[in-house]
Amino acid sequence: MARAFLVVMDSVGIGGAPDAGRYFNKDLPDLGANTVAHIAQACTEGRAEEGRSGPLRLPTLDALGLGAAVRLASNQPAPGLDAKPTGLWGAASEVSAGKDTPSGHWELAGLPVPWDWSYFPEDGAAFDKELVAHVAEAAVTTGILGNCHASGTTIIADLGAEHVKTGLPICYTSADSVFQIAAHEECFGLERLLKLCADVAPYLHARKVGRVIARPFVGTPEEGFSRTTNRRDFAIRPPAPILTDWVRASGGRVHGIGKIGDIFSMQGIDTLEKGSDAALMVHLSEAVQQAEEGSLTFANFVEFDSLYGHRRDISGYARALEWFDREIARVLDQLRDGDLMILTADHGNDPSWPGTDHTREQVPVLVAGAGTGTIGAVQFADVAASVAAHLDVPSQGPGRSFLP
């Protein structure tokens, strides 16, 4: 029997989404955003020298077809990424509305989102009085702080001291369909924060808000505040079977790594490993060594997005890509005959683009274990169909396998 490994490089977009002009950051359409190409360009021009230097070096990903995928998606070169691909490669576009994590992952798992997500207004108060009252009642507080669109790191810097003093949770949102609650792990309590998010999630899910996200932090007003790795997402459950369900229904085991458990509310997932991206790479390596025949390992590496994309840190994003390239090379070397590994992404987050939100882009599809060549332009859902075909599992989604 075969094994499959589906690895999502969160936000590593390659430009060229056909409908990017309909999506905006700071009133500028995403048309022209290109996460990988613009990082590569900045590196070549000496604009990404913090903690690294020189052109972007991604020999492993480029050999699999990353540079070729950039050119296919956007007709734009990524300086330094010009290797002749030795893997199977292509570029995928999304049909679901939005440029968020659940939409991208659901569709990669074979289920385009069957509705429009709800979003919060950018001008004035983001949340209506009924929602504020519901959250305050669940928190057993007199109100909330924030009630706006904000960067997570900025809002805890601005409101952290007031939160510690008053005990009121900090509630904010972004361009995604999310309701985020930040609270101090010690002063407010981590378990209390997680319970609050779990309690208000059904109310927000009924409004088609995709995720309630717990954003715990630590620190003091004097020394400053920092977020911890104890984030947790409370997401709407997919309304139909997805790739993880297909595999389990056929008798295969499914192993989640990273945010996968939160994104899919553990639907169809047998085991879950969490941690920093460095820890997740260790877990992925262990899965390649130990996963059962017929199994699917589904991983998400989030720090490209959370630490560097949203913060518009080009140097940091370049460092993360180069680290991933080195580490994934070791993992790829451990694959067995008959294994399939697909490296892809869920959306873009161009750190050179205005604003702090995701960018609507195509994503690379880089395939190890299925020969060499191009699959051309495909859809996100084709990834799920291809994994299903490799595992000899019936596909229940709209995608079509691109495997030879």
Side-chain angles (χ1 to χ4, degrees), residues 147-304:
N147 195 358
C148 60
H149 281 244
S151 158
T153 52
T154 300
I155 201 167
I156 64 171
D158 293 343
L159 298 178
E162 186 176 356
H163 162 74
V164 169
K165 179 180 178 180
T166 64
L168 301 181
I170 302 171
C171 300
Y172 63 103
T173 188
S174 71
D176 290 343
S177 180
V178 295
F179 186 89
Q180 306 191 69
I181 306 179
H184 198 284
E185 285 196 356
E186 298 163 1
C187 301
F188 190 89
L190 177 59
E191 293 305 316
R192 182 185 174 196
L193 171 61
L194 296 178
K195 183 178 185 302
L196 171 60
C197 291
D199 288 346
V200 302
Y203 177 86
L204 284 149
H205 292 167
R207 291 185 168 198
K208 293 295 184 288
V209 175
R211 288 178 292 166
V212 176
I213 305 178
R215 291 287 197 176
F217 63 92
V218 294
T220 66
E222 295 76 23
E223 297 181 358
F225 300 104
S226 60
R227 298 197 296 199
T228 74
T229 58
N230 292 319
R231 162 184 171 162
R232 185 171 173 190
D233 295 31
F234 297 81
I236 293 179
R237 289 182 65 85
I242 54 175
L243 175 62
T244 55
D245 299 305
W246 310 346
V247 174
R248 285 188 68 187
S250 295
R253 297 268 290 172
V254 178
H255 305 293
I257 294 178
K259 287 173 53 179
I260 296 301
D262 290 344
I263 293 167
F264 295 115
S265 298
M266 289 301 291
Q267 184 167 314
I269 298 171
D270 294 297
T271 68
L272 180 67
E273 301 289 350
K274 302 186 75 172
S276 66
D277 275 11
L280 298 183
M281 189 63 76
V282 174
H283 292 310
L284 179 61
S285 177
E286 292 171 345
V288 170
Q289 297 172 51
Q290 302 170 10
E292 308 88 345
E293 294 297 316
S295 66
L296 166 66
T297 299
F298 199 163
N300 170 284
F301 288 82
V302 72
E303 291 179 2
F304 303 111

Side-chain angles (χ1 to χ4, degrees), residues 18-388:
D19 56 358
R22 295 169 46 200
Y23 296 83
F24 291 83
N25 269 280
K26 292 291 186 182
D27 298 323
L28 181 70
D30 287 346
L31 192 65
N34 193 322
T35 301
V36 171
H38 288 164
I39 292 170
Q41 182 177 355
C43 291
T44 298
E45 295 173 355
R47 295 186 287 110
E49 296 290 302
E50 296 176 14
R52 61 164 309 282
S53 185
L56 186 65
R57 291 177 287 273
L58 305 177
T60 305
L61 295 174
D62 195 23
L64 287 173
L66 179 58
V70 173
R71 294 188 293 274
L72 172 66
S74 62
N75 198 30
Q76 180 177 357
L81 303 182
D82 52 11
K84 182 178 180 180
T86 59
L88 192 66
W89 62 274
S93 57
E94 184 178 8
V95 301
S96 301
K99 49 180 178 175
D100 54 272
T101 295
S103 296
H105 280 77
W106 283 20
E107 195 166 326
L108 287 170
L111 179 66
V113 179
W115 55 63
D116 289 333
W117 298 110
S118 293
Y119 301 92
F120 295 105
E122 294 191 29
D123 298 325
F127 314 127
D128 58 70
K129 293 180 180 179
E130 180 182 332
L131 174 54
V132 170
H134 183 82
V135 174
E137 181 180 1
V140 194
T141 58
T142 58
I144 66 171
L145 300 175
N147 195 358
C148 60
H149 281 244
S151 158
T153 52
T154 300
I155 201 167
I156 64 171
D158 293 343
L159 298 178
E162 186 176 356
H163 162 74
V164 169
K165 179 180 178 180
T166 64
L168 301 181
I170 302 171
C171 300
Y172 63 103
T173 188
S174 71
D176 290 343
S177 180
V178 295
F179 186 89
Q180 306 191 69
I181 306 179
H184 198 284
E185 285 196 356
E186 298 163 1
C187 301
F188 190 89
L190 177 59
E191 293 305 316
R192 182 185 174 196
L193 171 61
L194 296 178
K195 183 178 185 302
L196 171 60
C197 291
D199 288 346
V200 302
Y203 177 86
L204 284 149
H205 292 167
R207 291 185 168 198
K208 293 295 184 288
V209 175
R211 288 178 292 166
V212 176
I213 305 178
R215 291 287 197 176
F217 63 92
V218 294
T220 66
E222 295 76 23
E223 297 181 358
F225 300 104
S226 60
R227 298 197 296 199
T228 74
T229 58
N230 292 319
R231 162 184 171 162
R232 185 171 173 190
D233 295 31
F234 297 81
I236 293 179
R237 289 182 65 85
I242 54 175
L243 175 62
T244 55
D245 299 305
W246 310 346
V247 174
R248 285 188 68 187
S250 295
R253 297 268 290 172
V254 178
H255 305 293
I257 294 178
K259 287 173 53 179
I260 296 301
D262 290 344
I263 293 167
F264 295 115
S265 298
M266 289 301 291
Q267 184 167 314
I269 298 171
D270 294 297
T271 68
L272 180 67
E273 301 289 350
K274 302 186 75 172
S276 66
D277 275 11
L280 298 183
M281 189 63 76
V282 174
H283 292 310
L284 179 61
S285 177
E286 292 171 345
V288 170
Q289 297 172 51
Q290 302 170 10
E292 308 88 345
E293 294 297 316
S295 66
L296 166 66
T297 299
F298 199 163
N300 170 284
F301 288 82
V302 72
E303 291 179 2
F304 303 111
D305 186 55
S306 62
L307 297 185
Y308 308 114
H310 286 300
R311 300 181 189 183
R312 295 305 187 247
D313 181 351
I314 297 176
S315 293
Y317 208 130
R319 290 196 309 272
L321 284 169
E322 291 173 336
W323 168 83
F324 183 90
D325 191 86
R326 292 191 299 271
E327 296 300 320
I328 203 66
R330 299 185 180 98
V331 175
L332 288 165
D333 285 343
Q334 298 171 344
L335 292 175
R336 305 172 187 168
D337 289 343
D339 285 347
L340 179 80
M341 179 173 285
I342 299 178
L343 303 171
T344 186
D346 53 343
H347 50 71
N349 200 342
D350 187 340
S352 72
W353 215 242
T356 59
D357 298 322
H358 297 151
T359 42
R360 179 78 167 186
E361 300 180 42
Q362 291 188 57
V363 301
V365 180
L366 312 177
V367 187
T372 303
T374 180
I375 59 175
V378 299
Q379 301 293 319
F380 276 32
D382 296 340
V383 172
S386 302
V387 171

